[in-house]
Each structure stands twice: as C-alpha cells, then as structure tokens.
Amino acid sequence: MKIICIGRNYAAHIEELKNEKPGKPVVFLKPDTALLKGGAPFFHPDFSENIHHEVELVLKISKEGKYIQPQFAHRYFDEIGLGIDFTARDLQDQCKAKGLPWEIAKAFNGSAPIGDFKPVTAFADLKDIDFHLEINGELKQKGNTSLMLFDFATIIAYVSQFFTLKKGDLIYTGTPAGVGPVKIGDHLTGFIGNEKMLDFEVK
C-alpha cells in the first residue's frame, strides 16, 4: 500500500507557514514504514528538534482506479479516518531553502500515525465534517472539510492521473491551521466530531 498526502489544502494553514496558495493539489508520498498503528507511541527522532503535528482526515481507498473523474470519486473510498502527518519542520526548511526534495522531513519512520476509521455512510455531509486535535487536553487544531481548497473528489481525481489507486491505499487530505511542535511526554488525542479516533503519546 502507499500513503498519498496533500499539502496546503487549508488557506489559514498556508498563511501561517507563509506559503504560496496552490492552483492544484500539492502531493507527496510516505512509505508504509511511516505508518504508526494501534495507539503505539511516537518516538521523537534525534535528527530533528522541531517535529510538528498536522492532524488530517484520511481516506481509505476501497478499489483500484486511475484517471478517475470527480463525479465518480465517491466510488473509490469507503472509510474516513484520522491521522497525523508529522513533519520535521527544521529539516523541511533546510531542504526547501536549497530547492531540494523534503521527503526526509515528511516520510521518516512513524511519521504517519493512523487512528480509527468510520464508514462513509456514517457521515451526513462529506463537505461538513468537523475534526480536531488536542495535546494534553488542550485544543491545538480544529478543521472542517468545508474549508478545504480541494475537496475529496478533486483530490482523488487529481491524484489518480499520476498514481493508480489500489485497495488499502491511504490519502491524507491536508491539515488546518494551528500546527506546532510536539515534545516527549505529550499525549495526543484526535477527534472527528466528538468521537475520539486517535490516541497516543510521544516518547
């Protein structure tokens, strides 16, 4: 399986990082070794002093497809979950300053914690899904799919032009504003609506 991630998909997050607003989805990949499942702890790596949390809704692909049209995109995912796109911001800034790829800042081991999933049928409106992240019980990030620059259908249609989607693939759909560093001892809990979907510690 592969992990496909979308960057710069919430305007307020683009502004907080002083990035340029994209005309098309910004896409990057993580390997399967980035996945962190079952509430396992995230071990803060020694190579970074500035690991940022980015909470995101995650789509689970349910069947193979490529060159998918937006109006058919809903047929290709059947569950929505919650995950974290951990980012070594210091390494990312160094790579970006040199015009280099920044996979080492995004795709390292354990950089994609994943929580529980809910069936798509459990959501009344995919363009009105609330989600948020708390650290040590304090609200850090809050988002709603209505604020996305590129909705689920647009993301799937765009990504499938370049990568054949296969059953079990995950698409991280972008993070809202409020990203910031985590430290050893932090307890992260993520919610879709009021339902806890993600729960783990930083060690």
Side-chain angles (χ1 to χ4, degrees), residues 140-178:
K140 291 293 184 179
Q141 289 184 267
K142 186 176 182 179
N144 183 283
T145 50
S146 65
L147 302 174
M148 285 178 151
L149 300 182
F150 307 105
D151 63 13
F152 295 157
T154 301
I155 290 169
I156 286 176
Y158 183 77
V159 165
S160 69
Q161 294 179 51
F162 306 97
F163 311 111
T164 298
L165 298 179
K166 293 190 173 183
K167 185 175 181 178
D169 287 350
L170 301 177
I171 301 181
Y172 280 61
T173 59
T175 195

Side-chain angles (χ1 to χ4, degrees), residues 36 39-45 51 86 108-113 182 200-203:
L36 197 62
F42 170 74
F43 290 94
H44 198 296
I51 299 288
F86 274 132
F108 55 88
N109 290 340
S111 62
V182 296
F200 68 97
E201 294 184 354
V202 180
K203 292 188 175 181

